Amino acid sequence: MDICKTHENASKCSVSTMECFMVLSTQAQKISIATLCGLFGTLCIFENSLVLYLIFSSPGTRRKPSYLFISSLALADILASIIFVCSFVNFHVFNETNFSKEMFLLQLGGVNTSFSASLSSLLLTALDRYISISRPSEYKLLMTRKRAWMALGVLWVTCATTASLPLLGWNCCTLNSTCSELFPFVDDNYLSSWICLIMVLLGCIVYAYAHVLRRAHQHVTYMEKHHVQVGKQNTRMRMDVMLAKTLVMVLTVLVLCWSPVLALMIYSLFAKLSDHLRKVFAFCSTLCLLNSMVNPIIYALRSKELSSSLRRVFSQFRRQLKVSEESPEAESTHKSSVIET
């Protein structure tokens, strides 16, 4: 289609040209994308919902700012999975174009808000661990539940506002500017600004975790050198280090899953993408769902409090299942004894 080859804004801003961004050409590709999205999305929603239940069902975890930030991460991943899977499959698999430019930008803003909030929640968690390690004696005074809730409020409002900018007017149709190669109606300058924001967030997270791990290494070295007895303070220090290492694993998965997508986004700002690279970008986008799916698994394996709560929930479920299986037998025995009497 000629309209797909041109870079003129008049054609790029037509709703009918969204077909140019539907790059999956074969049925096998559509089935593969639908399968990946369905599998990752379903597991992501189930696992993150379980994390939220484990956190808020235990008074010991829901009162801690660290787990408030983790619950924000889980909530963001749930919303990202729902909005991303529905809009992505609807667009690329079912090739739906029966919606306006505003509706498309609204869906894109929802995905952008959720993933940005997910990454920002990791940043707050990194800062929480940074304060806990660098200033342990003042941690409870500095990181209160009230301040944690305020930080989360600022986080979500900022992410929603940033993601709404294309819908509010920062798009290539309104500004008559260069449109993105990857997203309909999205301005290249907005895309480059969003990429810069993500890179800054990643840089801050890496710096915070590098400091946490350096302090943890110094602490372990000091204990081994002076043969310090493990006390209450050292136990708390080990728990902080354990949680920090857990979140480093989360960050590693995050970088591995998002690197291909960000690399292609950056490349699209400087060169025209071929149809093959557009298809690669579509498949790489599902890695974002994989990241959201892996995060709760890491929590369950690494967090002692969450893993204990998970074992308790499974034990209660098994007991209830055992009681429900035994109750019919008991009722049958009771009835037979009554008949004999």
Side-chain angles (χ1 to χ4, degrees):
M1 291 185 294
D2 295 335
I3 197 171
C4 297
K5 302 298 182 181
T6 183
H7 290 276
E8 295 180 0
N9 291 315
S11 63
K12 285 288 186 178
C13 292
S14 174
V15 176
S16 61
T17 59
M18 285 194 294
E19 297 178 358
C20 304
F21 294 87
M22 299 174 181
V23 295
L24 303 182
S25 55
T26 65
Q27 195 68 18
Q29 293 173 354
K30 294 181 179 181
I31 293 176
S32 299
I33 284 289
T35 302
L36 291 174
C37 288
L39 178 62
F40 293 161
T42 302
L43 290 176
C44 178
I45 294 172
F46 171 76
E47 293 171 0
N48 284 285
S49 299
L50 181 60
V51 168
L52 287 177
Y53 173 77
L54 294 177
I55 290 176
F56 287 98
S57 63
S58 173
T61 54
R62 66 168 176 259
R63 294 174 182 172
K64 294 182 179 180
S66 301
Y67 288 101
L68 289 179
F69 299 146
I70 291 177
S71 64
S72 174
L73 175 62
L75 177 61
D77 287 337
I78 291 174
L79 294 178
S81 300
I82 295 174
I83 301 174
F84 178 84
V85 170
C86 293
S87 59
F88 195 78
V89 172
N90 194 42
F91 186 81
H92 284 288
V93 177
F94 297 108
N95 300 137
E96 282 289 339
T97 58
N98 297 326
F99 47 82
S100 62
K101 177 192 70 175
E102 289 75 18
M103 181 58 66
F104 177 83
L105 292 177
L106 180 63
Q107 293 177 359
L108 185 63
V111 175
N112 193 351
T113 299
S114 303
F115 282 125
S116 299
S118 177
L119 184 58
S120 300
S121 298
L122 278 177
L123 176 59
L124 287 183
T125 311
L127 295 177
D128 175 75
R129 293 302 90 199
Y130 179 89
I131 296 173
S132 176
I133 294 294
S134 60
R135 306 173 69 175
S137 60
E138 304 175 19
Y139 173 75
K140 289 187 176 180
L141 295 177
L142 294 174
M143 189 58 66
T144 61
R145 293 184 73 248
K146 181 179 179 180
R147 290 181 177 178
W149 281 111
M150 290 177 60
L152 289 175
V154 173
L155 179 156
W156 281 92
V157 171
T158 303
C159 291
T161 302
T162 304
S164 301
L165 291 178
L167 183 62
L168 296 176
W170 192 355
N171 57 74
C172 59
C173 303
T174 303
L175 301 177
N176 196 29
S177 56
T178 305
C179 294
S180 170
E181 290 277 339
L182 294 172
F183 305 101
F185 316 126
V186 174
D187 179 60
D188 262 350
N189 292 327
Y190 173 81
L191 182 60
S192 60
S193 300
W194 185 82
I195 293 173
C196 290
L197 175 63
I198 296 300
M199 299 302 290
V200 169
L201 290 176
L202 286 173
C204 293
I205 294 173
V206 170
Y207 173 80
Y209 282 145
H211 178 82
V212 168
L213 292 180
R214 183 171 64 251
R215 290 296 297 270
H217 177 71
Q218 293 173 354
H219 175 76
V220 172
T221 303
Y222 176 83
M223 289 187 62
E224 292 178 350
K225 182 179 180 180
H226 297 277
H227 304 285
V228 178
Q229 294 293 326
V230 178
K232 183 177 180 180
Q233 185 69 19
N234 293 328
T235 302
R236 178 186 173 186
M237 187 73 173
R238 289 206 317 273
M239 290 176 63
D240 290 337
V241 171
M242 186 71 173
L243 184 56
K245 290 181 178 180
T246 299
L247 296 171
V248 168
M249 294 174 62
V250 174
L251 177 62
T252 302
V253 173
L254 176 74
V255 172
L256 291 177
C257 290
W258 275 84
S259 293
V261 174
L262 290 176
L264 287 173
M265 286 183 182
I266 295 173
Y267 181 76
S268 70
L269 297 174
F270 302 99
K272 180 175 174 57
L273 296 179
S274 63
D275 291 339
H276 176 70
L277 286 179
R278 288 168 180 258
K279 293 178 182 179
V280 172
F281 179 79
F283 278 92
C284 288
S285 298
T286 60
L287 292 176
C288 303
L289 280 178
L290 177 63
N291 167 70
S292 299
M293 185 193 73
V294 171
N295 286 344
I297 298 177
I298 298 177
Y299 302 149
L301 293 178
R302 301 284 298 178
S303 174
K304 181 179 293 186
E305 291 175 293
L306 288 185
S307 59
S308 299
S309 299
L310 183 61
R311 286 195 297 268
R312 185 173 63 253
V313 169
F314 282 152
S315 298
Q316 293 175 353
F317 177 75
R318 284 198 298 267
R319 285 197 299 268
Q320 292 178 356
L321 186 62
K322 186 177 180 180
V323 170
S324 64
E325 290 178 350
E326 292 178 350
S327 57
E329 297 177 1
E331 184 179 356
S332 176
T333 303
H334 176 71
K335 288 182 177 180
S336 61
S337 62
V338 170
I339 294 174
E340 291 176 359
T341 303

